[in-house]
């Protein structure tokens, strides 16, 4: 994918596939231009037959007609194949652009936006938008160009009758255009509610075990079924106006058949119009009526494209990485913070928030301005009561979020470059893949066995049937809670990155194993480790301790924290 291209503009996809578009345009033009000749050749054959022309001349006309039809069908196959290829390439480019956008989006965005809405926009809306661009491109030839060709052919056959019947063609087009606002409104309403139902689906799937254990799954199942009924009604409204009104448009254009039969038939009886021209005119108008009725469908496709494009377009803009990764550090470095503070509320101002007004009025949590220094080889304990910002502090240290104040690694702000970081979150995240992949995550510069040993997990892995290549099930039934936590810890320790952030890493692990892991962490002399824990026997072993309180903090050794427990660093 060329990140220099503006994928949030439709013309980009035409430029990116210009060769394919040119070939598609040629095949489309040949198909539609030659389709206009089929009724003419058919009329010539009818005239030759009624005039008693020699068999050889009749046979030549019939063969010409058959050859023309065959060539037109070959072009139809080519244009459809090329059209599908064009649509697939558009969808692929859109998905790549959306992925590039998401991986470079602030992490806080995903905490304040509907997951179902994201999925709906980068999957359903991108699919609808790419399909809409393809359909609108081919319909420019299949409907507009072909319709114009048919009308021009009719004018050559009979100007007066063509002028009369074209009134009904225009009425059909105007009637289809009258529904465009309704189509847009119903389509938008359907897609927005579809996002809500996806959120509800994810919630139901995630909490089904809890629902069953509490005996309330029936209540939530009824709520889910109700949402699906509403979705079905909205979908019907949208689809009816998009695709099912074509017969009404056809009826309007078929009213012109009365004038063709009446006026054309009278001229045939008078001998001023040949039966061949009359049959060709009648066949051409039937094709015109068919194409004119499809304009209503084109309006529906266009409104669907318009809604889908508006919804997915924000995810197609290219974003620069938040900061680059600093891979090489000097032999001696330290992390220094000066008036360092952070709040997720600052990031919400620049993201699309779906929180309610009541939620937005709640006071936002903010870290107190911190001042500390952590040296290479040190383990820093982070403790405090609930909702004092321990996890928020680790998130700010990652360098993935724009903080306030100063946070310098070897004299360089993490705003500009951050080091390779190992992170163990409080929530277990295990992928349905091999245990080896769950630890390495595709990284090659590290020792898998060493990481497992340091996390106190290696011996248990050797008891698995496939050891490190054991595939972890989606339901995680083959890993206990403590094993999942140690797997997360091994992932953070793999490769011994310069900065290691551990959010409650010893949860669900027995004390004997915790003490062994702690001794191994002390061998990480080339890393700075921050570990969130409230266990005193662990805090005693930390080089420094950061105790967070509501609006204040204390930083120092464990003994200093205990000695000054009644004194706070006020901000």
């Amino acid at each position: 994918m060329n990140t220099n291209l503006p994928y949030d503009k439709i013309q980009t996809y035409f430029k990116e596939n210009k060769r394919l578009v040119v070939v598609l345009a040629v095949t489309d033009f040949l198909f539609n231009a030659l389709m206009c000749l089929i009724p003419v050749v058919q009329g010539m054959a009818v005239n030759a037959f009624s005039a008693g022309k020699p068999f050889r001349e009749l046979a030549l006309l019939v063969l010409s007609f058959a050859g023309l039809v065959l060539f037109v069908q070959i072009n139809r196959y080519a244009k459809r194949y090329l059209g599908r290829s064009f649509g697939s390439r558009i969808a692929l480019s859109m998905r790549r652009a959306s992925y590039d956008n998401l991986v470079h989006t602030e992490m806080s965005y995903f905490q304040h936006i509907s997951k179902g809405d994201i999925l709906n926009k980068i999957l359903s809306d991108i699919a609808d938008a790419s399909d809409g661009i393809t359909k609108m491109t081919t319909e420019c030839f299949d409907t507009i160009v072909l319709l114009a060709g048919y009308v021009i052919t009719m004018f050559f056959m009979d100007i007066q009758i063509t002028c009369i019947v074209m009134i009904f063609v225009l009425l059909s087009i105007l009637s289809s255009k009258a529904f465009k606002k309704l189509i847009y409104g119903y389509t938008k309403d359907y897609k927005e509610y579809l996002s809500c139902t996806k959120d509800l689906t994810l919630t139901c799937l995630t909490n089904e075990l809890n629902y069953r254990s509490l005996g309330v799954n029936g209540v939530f199942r009824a709520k889910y079924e109700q949402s699906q009924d509403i979705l079905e009604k909205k979908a019907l409204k949208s689809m009816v106006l998009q695709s099912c009104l074509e017969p009404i448009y056809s009826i309007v254009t078929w009213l012109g058949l009365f004038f063709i039969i009446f006026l054309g038939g009278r001229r045939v009886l008078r001998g001023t119009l040949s039966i061949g021209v009359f049959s060709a005119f009648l066949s051409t108008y039937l094709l015109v009526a068919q194409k004119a009725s499809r304009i209503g469908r084109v309006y529906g496709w266009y409104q669907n494209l318009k809604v889908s494009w508006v919804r997915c377009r924000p995810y197609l803009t290219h974003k620069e990485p938040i900061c680059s990764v600093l891979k090489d550090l000097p032999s001696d470095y330290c992390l220094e913070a000066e008036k360092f503070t952070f709040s997720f509320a600052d990031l919400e101002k620049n993201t699309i928030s779906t929180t309610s007004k009541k939620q937005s009025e709640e006071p936002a949590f903010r870290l107190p301005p911190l001042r500390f220094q952590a040296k290479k080889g040190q383990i820093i304990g982070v403790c405090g009561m609930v909702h004092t910002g321990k996890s928020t502090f680790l998130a700010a240290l990652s360098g993935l979020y724009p903080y306030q104040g100063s946070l310098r690694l070897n004299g360089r702000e993490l705003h500009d470059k951050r080091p390779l970081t190992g992170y163990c979150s409080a929530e277990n995240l295990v992928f349905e893949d091999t245990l080896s992949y769950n630890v390495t995550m595709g990284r090659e510069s590290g020792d898998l066995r060493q990481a497992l040993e340091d996390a106190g997990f290696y011996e248990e892995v050797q008891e698995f049937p496939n050891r490190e290549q054991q595939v972890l099930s989606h339901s995680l039934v083959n890993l206990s809670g403590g094993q999942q936590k140690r797997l997360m810890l091994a992932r953070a320790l793999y490769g011994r990155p310069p900065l290691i952030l551990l959010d409650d890493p010893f949860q669900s692990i027995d004390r004997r194993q915790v003490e062994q892991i702690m001794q191994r962490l002390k061998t990480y002399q080339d890393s700075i480790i921050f570990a969130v824990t409230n266990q005193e026997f662990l805090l005693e072993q930390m080089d420094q301790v950061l105790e967070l309180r509501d609006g204040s903090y204390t930083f120092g050794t464990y003994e200093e924290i205990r000695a000054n427990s009644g004194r706070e660093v006020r901000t």
Side-chain angles (χ1 to χ4, degrees):
M1 186 185 74
N2 187 353
T3 56
N4 295 323
L5 293 176
Y7 285 98
D8 57 336
K9 296 182 179 179
I10 292 180
Q11 59 264 33
T12 298
Y13 302 97
F14 289 90
K15 293 178 181 178
E16 192 176 40
N17 302 282
K18 54 186 177 183
R19 293 183 180 178
L20 178 60
V21 172
V22 169
V23 179
L24 176 61
V26 171
T27 55
D28 260 324
F29 182 80
L30 287 174
F31 168 75
N32 291 288
L34 295 176
M35 275 290 291
C36 299
L37 294 179
I38 289 179
V40 177
V41 177
Q42 178 185 344
M44 292 173 61
V46 171
N47 279 337
F49 180 78
S50 61
K53 296 291 184 180
F55 176 77
R56 183 177 180 180
E57 187 174 341
L58 282 174
L60 183 61
L61 284 171
V62 171
L63 288 174
S64 299
F65 178 77
L68 180 61
V69 171
L70 178 62
F71 188 72
V72 166
Q73 295 305 318
I74 292 174
N75 274 275
R76 171 179 284 180
Y77 169 79
K79 81 180 188 65
R80 287 190 175 181
Y81 174 78
L82 294 171
R84 296 292 187 276
S85 298
F86 183 43
S88 298
R89 292 187 181 186
I90 293 175
L92 181 60
S93 295
M94 284 184 170
R95 291 192 182 102
R96 286 175 173 171
S98 66
Y99 179 79
D100 179 72
N101 176 283
L102 289 173
V103 298
H104 292 147
T105 297
E106 292 285 0
M107 298 301 296
S108 61
Y109 176 82
F110 302 103
Q111 299 178 4
H112 304 288
I113 194 69
S114 160
K115 305 299 187 297
D117 194 46
I118 294 177
L119 289 173
N120 200 28
K121 288 176 179 177
I122 66 175
L123 295 177
S124 300
D125 286 312
I126 281 181
D128 288 344
S130 60
D131 187 51
I133 293 173
T134 306
K135 284 181 176 178
M136 295 304 298
T137 302
T138 55
E139 284 301 324
C140 286
F141 293 94
D142 290 353
T143 298
I144 300 174
V145 174
L146 187 57
L147 184 61
Y150 284 151
V151 172
I152 293 173
T153 304
M154 289 170 58
F155 271 112
F156 275 107
M157 288 187 282
D158 193 294
I159 296 177
Q160 184 182 9
I161 299 178
T162 301
C163 290
I164 294 173
V165 297
M166 281 304 298
I167 295 174
F168 297 97
V169 175
L170 293 175
L171 287 175
S172 175
I173 296 173
L174 291 175
S175 63
S176 62
K177 186 178 180 181
F179 288 101
K180 69 176 185 178
K181 289 185 178 180
L182 282 176
I183 294 174
Y184 181 85
Y186 283 140
T187 302
K188 182 180 179 182
D189 185 45
Y190 162 68
K191 286 184 173 292
E192 288 177 349
Y193 193 77
L194 180 61
S195 297
C196 296
T197 59
K198 285 187 176 181
D199 271 331
L200 183 59
T201 301
L202 291 172
T203 301
C204 289
L205 290 174
T206 303
N207 299 291
E208 181 64 20
L209 181 61
N210 293 328
Y211 297 158
R212 291 184 186 182
S213 63
L214 296 173
V216 296
N217 57 316
V219 176
F220 287 93
R221 178 62 59 85
K223 183 179 180 181
Y224 177 78
E225 292 294 338
Q226 183 182 9
S227 71
Q228 294 305 303
D229 291 338
I230 297 174
L231 180 65
E232 182 181 6
K233 293 177 182 178
K234 293 181 180 293
L236 284 174
K237 285 183 179 180
S238 176
M239 296 304 158
V240 164
L241 290 178
Q242 280 190 43
S243 306
C244 300
L245 295 179
E246 189 173 339
I248 297 177
Y249 309 141
S250 297
I251 291 173
V252 177
T253 52
W254 285 347
L255 293 175
L257 291 174
F258 172 79
F259 293 93
I260 295 176
I261 295 172
F262 177 75
L263 297 176
R266 189 168 62 177
R267 293 184 182 183
V268 170
L269 293 175
R270 290 177 180 176
T272 57
L273 186 67
S274 67
I275 186 68
V277 174
F278 175 74
S279 64
F281 191 93
L282 183 62
S283 299
T284 304
Y285 184 75
L286 289 173
L287 293 171
V288 168
Q290 180 185 14
K291 288 298 178 183
S293 64
R294 284 178 62 87
I295 290 182
R297 186 185 297 182
V298 173
Y299 273 120
W301 287 339
Y302 173 72
Q303 297 306 322
N304 187 38
L305 167 62
K306 188 176 178 181
V307 172
S308 300
W309 180 254
V310 170
R311 286 171 54 81
C312 70
R313 185 177 182 180
Y315 292 97
L316 302 177
T317 57
H318 175 66
K319 292 184 177 180
E320 295 296 332
I322 300 173
C323 61
S324 56
V325 177
L326 183 63
K327 296 183 178 180
D328 298 322
L329 286 169
S331 58
D332 187 23
Y333 59 88
C334 64
L335 184 68
E336 297 176 289
E338 186 70 36
K339 295 183 179 179
F340 170 69
T341 183
F342 171 76
S343 173
F344 281 108
D346 295 337
L347 304 179
E348 292 179 32
K349 300 175 183 178
N350 300 320
T351 59
I352 303 173
S353 177
T354 56
T355 54
S356 65
K357 183 178 179 181
K358 181 179 178 181
Q359 289 174 317
S360 63
E361 290 176 350
E362 293 179 356
F365 175 80
R366 175 180 292 278
L367 287 174
L370 303 174
R371 182 177 181 273
F372 63 86
Q373 183 182 81
K375 298 179 180 180
K376 185 180 73 168
Q378 286 187 332
I379 304 178
I380 312 297
V382 183
C383 63
M385 300 294 289
V386 176
H387 198 64
T388 53
K390 300 184 294 295
S391 296
T392 302
F393 171 69
L394 291 191
L397 286 182
S398 69
L400 295 174
Y401 302 96
Y403 52 82
Q404 294 182 5
S406 177
L407 185 64
R408 298 185 303 275
L409 181 67
N410 196 44
R412 176 174 290 181
E413 283 290 339
L414 261 68
H415 275 314
D416 304 322
K417 282 194 175 184
R418 63 181 179 85
L420 291 173
T421 305
Y423 178 65
C424 175
S425 66
E427 297 181 0
N428 296 334
L429 178 61
V430 182
F431 300 95
E432 188 172 3
D433 207 309
T434 63
L435 187 143
S436 172
Y437 178 80
N438 268 275
V439 174
T440 64
M441 299 295 291
R443 297 171 292 176
E444 298 180 356
S445 57
D447 188 330
L448 175 61
R449 174 172 178 169
Q450 187 67 55
L452 291 171
E453 287 181 347
D454 293 343
F457 196 29
Y458 179 75
E459 292 182 1
E460 292 173 62
V461 171
Q462 301 312 301
E463 297 177 1
F464 292 164
N466 299 313
R467 299 186 180 182
E468 288 85 354
Q469 299 307 313
Q470 178 71 33
V471 176
L472 305 181
S473 69
H474 181 69
S475 59
L476 305 178
V477 293
N478 52 351
L479 285 183
S480 67
Q483 288 175 328
Q484 291 179 45
K485 180 56 69 175
R486 281 177 284 156
L487 175 64
M488 296 281 292
L489 182 58
R491 180 188 300 164
L493 300 179
Y494 180 78
R496 299 200 171 200
L499 183 62
I500 300 176
L501 310 175
L502 308 178
D503 194 351
D504 203 2
F506 307 116
Q507 182 184 9
S508 304
I509 305 177
D510 64 72
R511 178 163 178 166
R512 180 184 61 83
Q513 288 181 318
V514 170
E515 290 178 341
Q516 292 175 352
I517 294 172
M518 191 64 190
Q519 293 304 314
R520 290 184 177 276
L521 291 181
K522 291 180 179 180
T523 66
Y524 280 61
Q525 293 301 307
D526 291 328
S527 304
I528 299 175
I529 301 177
F530 286 86
V532 171
T533 182
N534 281 328
Q535 300 182 56
E536 289 195 17
F537 80 95
L538 287 174
L539 294 173
E540 291 174 354
Q541 302 179 54
M542 304 292 181
D543 296 296
Q544 300 284 342
V545 175
L546 172 65
E547 183 182 14
L548 293 171
R549 302 188 185 93
D550 185 12
S552 64
Y553 74 97
T554 304
F555 184 80
T557 64
Y558 177 75
E559 290 75 15
E560 291 172 342
I561 297 292
R562 289 291 301 272
N564 297 282
S565 58
R567 188 177 65 193
E568 298 178 349
V569 179
R570 294 294 179 183
T571 61

